[in-house]
Amino acid sequence: MDAEEIAKSAALEHRHWWYAARRALVRRTVRAWPAGRAIDVGCGMGGNTAVLRELGWRAVGVEYTDTGAGIAAARGIPVVRGDGRRLPVADASVDLVMSTDAWEHIDDDRAVARETARVLRPGGRALIAVPAGMALWSGHDVALGHVRRYERQQLADLATGAGLVIDDLWSWNVLLRPVVRARRRNKHAAESEMEDVHPVLNAGLRAALAVERALPVRRLPGVSLVLLAHRPVPGQSKR
């Protein structure tokens, strides 16, 4: 993602339905876990890192771009410049590695998965979110600098290939997938969809994602995939 796109996202982050729903997803997923040391790989402007810190985690963002790291630091979020393929973090030193909408930007995602496993303590958790389905590939992905969108088995294989044990893998933003697919079918130019949304529509889109939580749709195709995994404890059987 280039500097212009990062700056545009930063301006939208606090009010746009997508970012708000993603922060809510992080909060719901993590709030019951004992807080410890965490890193947010590809933290961007630091919105999700801030959620971890609000929940009591000693969370630090790891960001590749100067622009993203600068915005996060200006917001008071601890951040270090770093590459997800070579994390500036010691072996087995963190309780949580979070990475939301970052792996799809990186050519060698196997290296990112291996690094995630390396820095986790035994029993430590990974929370990964990525865009789902090459059927949704469009100019939006090009504009954001995506290398790929993920299929469910592809993401599962990445995690297990790195030595992680999968606890859950589900689809997110399922109800809106038909709308997204129809919109992107008609778009060919490299054009981001991250733009201001009318407040009424913004509230409606957030409501759709809230309703989705009560429906049995997590195994259906969605716009995103969410993976929970952990580094196994030596001597404990994998399940």
Side-chain angles (χ1 to χ4, degrees):
M1 191 185 298
D2 62 25
E4 181 180 353
E5 193 64 42
I6 292 170
K8 183 170 73 172
S9 295
L12 295 171
E13 188 179 21
H14 291 302
R15 62 182 183 274
H16 194 280
W17 67 275
W18 172 268
Y19 292 111
R22 195 175 62 174
R23 289 193 297 272
L25 170 68
V26 170
R27 185 174 287 105
R28 286 194 311 274
T29 305
V30 173
R31 64 188 172 193
W33 299 347
R37 187 182 179 202
I39 57 172
D40 182 3
V41 179
C43 70
M45 300 79 64
N48 293 330
T49 320
V51 171
L52 294 182
R53 294 179 65 80
E54 290 165 9
L55 294 172
W57 290 81
R58 301 186 303 279
V60 176
V62 179
E63 173 58 22
Y64 185 78
T65 67
D66 283 326
T67 304
I71 293 170
R75 293 174 171 176
I77 297 166
V79 60
V80 296
R81 290 288 311 285
D83 187 331
R85 299 166 297 183
R86 296 178 295 277
L87 290 171
V89 180
D91 293 357
S93 62
V94 300
D95 302 289
L96 171 64
V97 175
M98 181 172 71
S99 191
T100 54
D101 296 291
W103 285 19
E104 67 274 12
H105 293 274
I106 302 171
D107 52 357
D108 188 358
D109 55 358
R110 288 184 177 85
V112 184
R114 288 194 301 268
E115 282 291 274
T116 297
R118 177 185 68 79
V119 303
L120 281 173
R121 295 189 177 112
R125 294 179 168 100
L127 168 56
I128 311 298
V130 295
M134 285 301 292
L136 294 181
W137 182 268
S138 73
H140 173 75
D141 296 282
V142 176
L144 267 59
H146 293 175
V147 178
R148 69 189 73 78
R149 301 180 69 91
Y150 287 84
E151 308 303 331
R152 184 181 295 266
Q153 191 60 52
Q154 179 184 7
L155 183 57
D157 289 346
L158 266 179
T160 56
L164 297 172
V165 177
I166 295 174
D167 300 309
D168 203 354
L169 174 55
W170 74 91
S171 296
W172 183 65
N173 203 355
V174 174
L175 298 184
L176 294 176
R177 181 183 170 101
V179 177
V180 170
R181 186 166 187 174
R183 179 175 182 180
R184 293 182 181 178
R185 186 179 293 123
N186 297 321
K187 292 178 67 174
H188 302 288
E191 181 181 352
S192 169
E193 294 175 4
M194 302 314 295
E195 56 195 19
D196 258 322
V197 178
H198 188 280
V200 174
L201 178 58
N202 199 55
L205 293 168
R206 291 181 67 172
L209 282 169
V211 168
E212 181 177 301
R213 298 202 301 271
L215 300 175
V217 296
R218 286 161 50 106
R219 305 306 170 195
L220 298 177
V223 180
S224 296
L225 287 165
V226 182
L227 170 75
L228 294 185
H230 70 273
R231 178 174 172 177
V233 176
Q236 288 187 358
S237 62
K238 296 182 180 180
R239 62 177 183 85

